[in-house]
């Protein structure tokens, strides 16, 4: 599978300072690569997207992505509040 990150995703990733946050995000991305269809499919206007939950310092985070054919597009990540904007 090919992996692409959107400019928004790249900007958010580059803002990460904590090694723990970077490691947790990296692990979440690897989990998605292994089986992207194991993640929950969203509903409504976001029906083409999927989310993978992971944890950082005991706080739940979400990795939002889209699968098209053999390509995974990484769209956003962070806590639930405001992630879908």
């Amino acid at each position: 599978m090919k992996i692409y990150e959107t400019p928004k995703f790249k900007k958010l990733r580059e803002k990460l300072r904590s090694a723990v946050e970077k490691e947790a995000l990296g692990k979440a991305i690897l989990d998605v690569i292994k089986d992207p269809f194991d993640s929950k499919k969203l509903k409504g206007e976001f029906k083409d997207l999927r989310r993978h939950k992971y944890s950082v310092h005991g706080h739940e985070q979400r990795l939002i992505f889209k699968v098209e054919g053999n390509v995974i597009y990484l769209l956003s990540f962070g806590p639930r509040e405001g992630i879908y904007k």
Side-chain angles (χ1 to χ4, degrees), residues 1 5 11-12 14 18 23 27 31-32 40 42 50 52-53 58 61 66-68 73 79-81 83-84:
M1 289 215 132
E5 56 183 21
K11 187 176 180 179
L12 287 170
E14 289 172 349
S18 164
E23 184 178 328
K27 184 181 178 319
D31 289 345
V32 166
K40 183 177 179 184
L42 300 178
R50 293 181 172 272
H52 176 77
K53 288 185 181 180
Q61 304 284 311
K66 183 177 187 176
V67 179
E68 286 185 355
Y73 295 94
R80 182 182 183 280
E81 302 80 33
I83 196 169
Y84 300 108

Side-chain angles (χ1 to χ4, degrees), residues 14-82:
E14 289 172 349
K15 286 184 179 182
L16 290 177
R17 298 288 177 235
S18 164
V20 173
E21 290 177 316
K22 291 177 183 179
E23 184 178 328
L25 178 61
K27 184 181 178 319
I29 292 170
L30 289 176
D31 289 345
V32 166
I33 292 169
K34 287 179 188 173
D35 189 3
F37 299 105
D38 188 37
S39 300
K40 183 177 179 184
K41 195 169 184 180
L42 300 178
K43 297 178 183 178
E45 65 182 291
F46 303 111
K47 66 182 178 185
D48 295 333
L49 308 180
R50 293 181 172 272
R51 68 117 170 95
H52 176 77
K53 288 185 181 180
Y54 66 101
S55 181
V56 177
H57 297 298
H59 297 283
E60 185 177 281
Q61 304 284 311
R62 293 173 182 215
L63 171 60
I64 307 300
F65 64 97
K66 183 177 187 176
V67 179
E68 286 185 355
N70 200 27
V71 180
I72 298 174
Y73 295 94
L74 302 175
L75 303 174
S76 188
F77 66 92
R80 182 182 183 280
E81 302 80 33

